[in-house]
């Protein structure tokens, strides 16, 4: 009977387990990049803060573009006044019609420049394209930092689309295949647990 019990025990599979460091990360994050080259003037949110769609996240320094926009706006106002005067003269003077056409073209040119400067100025303020949680390092690491166009500043995560990233040291690695089960015990609430399933394994 003892031999039979030992044989049966040998046929029972033993489940291997190991403790690993893990972190909840967004599965499909939105990358928030610098819209143009410049210096980050301010960060409007805290790391890992929840934000609503359209909320201001960070701003680039607007000193240069603000000056260009102010100059373009004054030139547009001057062109508007010139066009108004030439339009009045054109009523009684045929030669004034040519001057009015020239002033109209000048006004259109200055308006295009002013509108473009205004759009570029608004681009310096980056807002959240959707609701979620912003993920980035410390605010002091970014404020005053020079960034290139397209450089990643933050990540916007959807709370409904998250996954678990776990790391095992090579010395403690066991054979893990997609489909294996993982149990997460959060540091903030170690008495609670959350189940997950392995989707991919990398080295």
């Amino acid at each position: 009977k003892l031999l039979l019990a030992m044989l049966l025990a040998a046929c029972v599979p033993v489940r291997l387990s190991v403790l690993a460091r893990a972190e909840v990360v967004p599965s499909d994050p939105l990358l928030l990049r610098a819209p143009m080259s410049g210096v980050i003037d301010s960060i409007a949110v805290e790391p890992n803060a929840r934000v609503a769609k359209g909320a201001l996240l960070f701003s680039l320094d607007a000193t240069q573009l603000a000056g260009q926009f102010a100059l373009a706006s004054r030139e547009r106002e001057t062109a508007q006044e010139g066009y108004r005067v030439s339009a009045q003269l054109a009523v009684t003077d045929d030669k004034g019609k040519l001057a009015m056409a020239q002033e109209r073209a000048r006004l259109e040119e200055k308006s295009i420049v002013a509108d473009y400067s205004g759009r570029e100025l608004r681009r310096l303020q980056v807002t959240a394209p959707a609701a979620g949680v912003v993920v980035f390092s410390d605010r002091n690491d970014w404020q005053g930092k020079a960034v290139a166009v397209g450089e990643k500043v933050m990540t916007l995560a959807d709370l409904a689309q998250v996954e678990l990233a776990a790391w095992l040291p090579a010395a403690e690695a066991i054979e893990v295949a997609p489909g294996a089960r993982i149990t997460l015990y959060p540091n903030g609430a170690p008495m609670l647990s959350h189940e997950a399933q392995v989707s991919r394994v990398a080295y």
Side-chain angles (χ1 to χ4, degrees):
K1 291 182 178 180
L2 180 60
L3 180 60
L4 179 61
M6 292 177 62
L7 290 174
L8 291 176
C11 295
V12 176
V14 178
R15 182 181 178 184
L16 295 178
S17 63
V18 66
L19 292 177
R21 183 171 59 90
E23 180 183 5
V24 178
V25 297
S27 57
D28 188 21
L30 290 174
L31 300 182
L32 303 172
R33 305 178 183 273
M36 60 184 68
S37 298
V39 175
I40 293 183
D41 181 59
S42 62
I43 301 290
V45 293
E46 296 288 344
N48 302 319
R50 293 192 181 190
V51 296
K53 181 179 180 180
L56 177 63
L57 302 179
F58 65 92
S59 303
L60 298 180
D61 181 69
T63 303
Q64 182 177 358
L65 276 179
Q68 293 177 358
F69 177 66
L71 178 61
S73 298
R74 287 196 296 269
E75 290 179 344
R76 178 170 56 185
E77 293 173 357
T78 302
Q80 286 175 338
E81 181 62 21
Y83 175 69
R84 185 186 66 80
V85 172
S86 63
Q88 291 177 343
L89 294 176
V91 175
T92 57
D93 186 3
D94 292 337
K95 293 181 179 180
K97 294 180 179 180
L98 176 60
M100 184 181 69
Q102 293 174 340
E103 290 295 333
R104 178 187 298 169
R106 181 169 174 266
L107 174 58
E108 291 176 352
E109 176 188 356
K110 298 302 180 182
S111 296
I112 291 174
V113 173
D115 291 342
Y116 175 77
S117 298
R119 289 195 300 271
E120 290 294 283
L121 189 61
R122 289 190 293 272
R123 287 181 61 204
L124 296 179
Q125 295 189 333
V126 178
T127 58
V133 174
V134 285
V135 181
F136 63 102
S137 59
D138 189 82
R139 295 173 65 181
N140 295 328
D141 293 341
W142 287 99
Q143 291 184 150
K145 179 182 177 181
V147 291
V149 57
E151 182 176 347
K152 187 186 81 168
V153 178
M154 300 177 178
T155 299
L156 184 64
D158 184 352
L159 290 177
Q161 299 182 12
V162 296
E163 61 185 13
L164 187 66
W167 299 271
L168 271 176
E172 300 178 10
I174 61 174
E175 185 177 353
V176 179
R181 297 183 61 184
I182 296 178
T183 303
L184 171 68
Y185 298 94
N187 288 336
M191 300 303 294
L192 299 178
S193 64
H194 302 275
E195 297 296 325
Q197 190 176 56
V198 176
S199 58
R200 59 189 181 274
V201 180
Y203 298 91

